[in-house]
């Protein structure tokens, strides 16, 4: 019988050893301790952060801090990190396979400015101090389309309110999704909250002027190959 604990945060290495019998990627999650934390805590994250920033970048405070929640196998995060070597990138992701695939790419390309956490994005406030995040990227988050399940969405009024103090002044939220109802709902929440100002907004990213600088995610590439549905994209400043 498959062994499946429900709460990610109570998983211990022992529990993971059990799970590894069904999923080979679980065993590989420990192979990249220099940039992937399978059991992150504020303490081990801070330790890794200072090691990476002092030793690898040569600067204790990177110019900009980017976070991506649900980075998948990190096509987007890796491109951004390569384009902005002076900045620092932290990816939150839950799935073992996607984390391991991302880690393999990061290692192969010797990218030094990324840390991956196997953690829920909802807990990002446990890892960062207030006014420390420059960019928060959320690409194609699980849309939870059923009305009764919408409370599971990452971008809710509560979450957007909770994270506002963690943005630096002029910090920005970048969001894209193919689920236009979710997109409309986030747009509405941002307008109502009055703590963010939407600077860029389109319900058809690939046909808009913003497409020129767009970095495709894995899911976006998949959508493109399967009929290319319109994609909502917005960029909002926290003020
Ligand atoms: C639809 S996929 C999109 C992946 C990637 N952003 C892309 O566009 O290719 C959503 C991803 O978010 C991850 N995820 C879901 N809930 C999450 C959460 N609460 N915190 C962090 N990641 C989450 C899933 O494991 C999945 O890889």
């Amino acid at each position: 019988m498959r062994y499946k604990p429900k709460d990610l945060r109570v998983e211990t290495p022992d529990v993971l050893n059990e799970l590894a019998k069904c999923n080979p990627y679980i065993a590989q999650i420990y192979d990249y301790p220099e940039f992937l934390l399978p059991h992150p805590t504020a303490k081990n994250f801070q330790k890794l952060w200072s090691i990476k920033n002092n030793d690898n970048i040569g600067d204790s405070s990177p110019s900009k801090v980017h976070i991506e929640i649900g980075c998948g196998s990190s096509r987007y995060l890796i491109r951004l990190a390569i384009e902005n070597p002076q900045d620092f990138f932290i990816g939150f992701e839950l799935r073992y396979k996607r984390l391991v695939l991302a880690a393999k790419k990061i290692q192969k390309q010797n990218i030094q400015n990324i840390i991956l956490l196997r953690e829920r994005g909802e807990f990002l406030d446990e890892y960062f101090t207030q006014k420390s995040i420059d960019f928060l990227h959320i690409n194609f988050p699980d849309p939870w389309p059923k009305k009764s399940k919408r409370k599971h969405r990452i971008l809710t009024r509560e979450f957007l309110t909770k994270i506002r103090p963690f943005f630096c002044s002029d910090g920005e939220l970048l969001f894209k999704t193919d689920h236009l109802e979710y997109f409309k709902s986030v747009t509405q929440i941002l307008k109502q909250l009055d703590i963010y100002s939407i600077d860029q907004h389109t319900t058809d990213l690939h046909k808009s002027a913003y497409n020129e600088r767009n970095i495709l995610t894995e899911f976006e590439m998949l959508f493109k190959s399967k009929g290319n549905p319109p994609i909502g994209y917005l960029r909002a400043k926290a003020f």
Side-chain angles (χ1 to χ4, degrees):
M1 204 177 79
R2 284 177 78 92
Y3 183 85
K4 221 173 171 199
K6 284 209 175 82
D7 186 351
L8 169 75
R9 290 167 68 78
V10 299
E11 280 178 19
T12 62
D14 285 349
V15 170
L16 283 185
N17 284 340
E18 280 302 308
L19 285 166
K21 292 175 190 161
C22 328
N23 180 346
Y25 290 101
I26 296 177
Q28 296 174 41
I29 202 98
Y30 297 104
D31 292 348
Y32 310 90
E34 62 286 4
F35 60 85
L36 195 173
L37 293 174
H39 303 281
T41 60
K43 203 169 165 195
N44 65 18
F45 170 67
Q46 280 307 326
K47 193 169 165 202
L48 188 55
W49 169 272
S50 59
I51 292 172
K52 286 197 84 66
N53 280 297
N54 289 324
D55 294 354
N56 299 326
I57 294 181
D59 180 354
S60 57
S61 53
S63 356
K64 300 281 181 198
V65 173
H66 299 245
I67 293 174
E68 186 181 3
I69 295 180
C71 57
S73 42
S74 293
R75 183 182 196 278
Y76 177 90
L77 198 65
I78 289 172
R79 292 279 168 112
L80 265 186
I82 292 172
E83 281 178 15
N84 301 281
Q86 72 289 353
D87 292 353
F88 209 83
F89 297 81
I90 300 101
F92 284 70
E93 174 54 55
L94 304 178
R95 291 190 181 232
Y96 300 106
K97 181 174 177 181
R98 292 180 187 164
L99 281 165
V100 169
L101 293 178
K104 284 184 199 284
K105 289 187 264 183
I106 292 167
Q107 190 176 62
K108 193 169 172 200
Q109 296 177 70
N110 193 24
I111 297 165
Q112 298 296 330
N113 54 341
I114 296 183
I115 290 179
L116 298 176
L117 305 182
R118 184 168 178 271
E119 177 62 286
R120 290 190 177 280
E122 287 86 339
F123 297 122
L124 72 78
D125 55 317
E126 296 186 12
Y127 295 86
F128 296 90
T129 53
Q130 296 201 353
K131 297 191 177 164
S132 64
I133 299 170
D134 294 283
F135 298 98
L136 175 61
H137 307 257
I138 305 191
N139 296 315
F140 305 93
D142 295 341
W144 296 100
K146 281 192 183 160
K147 231 176 180 172
S148 60
K149 302 278 180 192
R150 285 187 194 158
K151 56 180 179 287
H152 298 304
R153 287 178 172 174
I154 182 83
L155 286 173
T156 58
R157 178 182 299 274
E158 292 67 35
F159 181 71
L160 286 164
T161 307
K162 177 173 94 161
I163 60 166
R164 166 63 195 90
F166 293 84
F167 281 106
C168 301
S169 60
D170 283 347
E172 292 184 78
L173 167 74
L174 294 94
F175 168 50
K176 51 183 172 174
T177 178
D178 61 310
H179 197 282
L180 294 184
E181 183 280 323
Y182 192 4
F183 186 68
K184 194 172 160 195
S185 136
V186 173
T187 303
Q188 256 172 14
I189 294 170
L190 289 171
K191 283 184 179 163
Q192 286 165 2
L193 279 176
D194 211 23
I195 45 179
Y196 296 91
S197 68
I198 299 176
D199 290 351
Q200 298 181 358
H201 190 276
T202 173
T203 48
D204 200 347
L205 172 61
H206 294 168
K207 291 197 179 131
S208 77
Y210 307 125
N211 196 39
E212 204 180 314
R213 302 202 56 195
N214 184 38
I215 298 176
L216 295 174
T217 74
E218 280 95 0
F219 267 67
E220 201 170 354
M221 287 176 72
L222 200 70
F223 293 139
K224 255 186 117 107
S225 70
K226 288 187 177 172
N228 204 14
I231 283 167
Y233 160 79
L234 68 79
R235 189 167 174 145
K237 264 202 177 73
F239 64 84

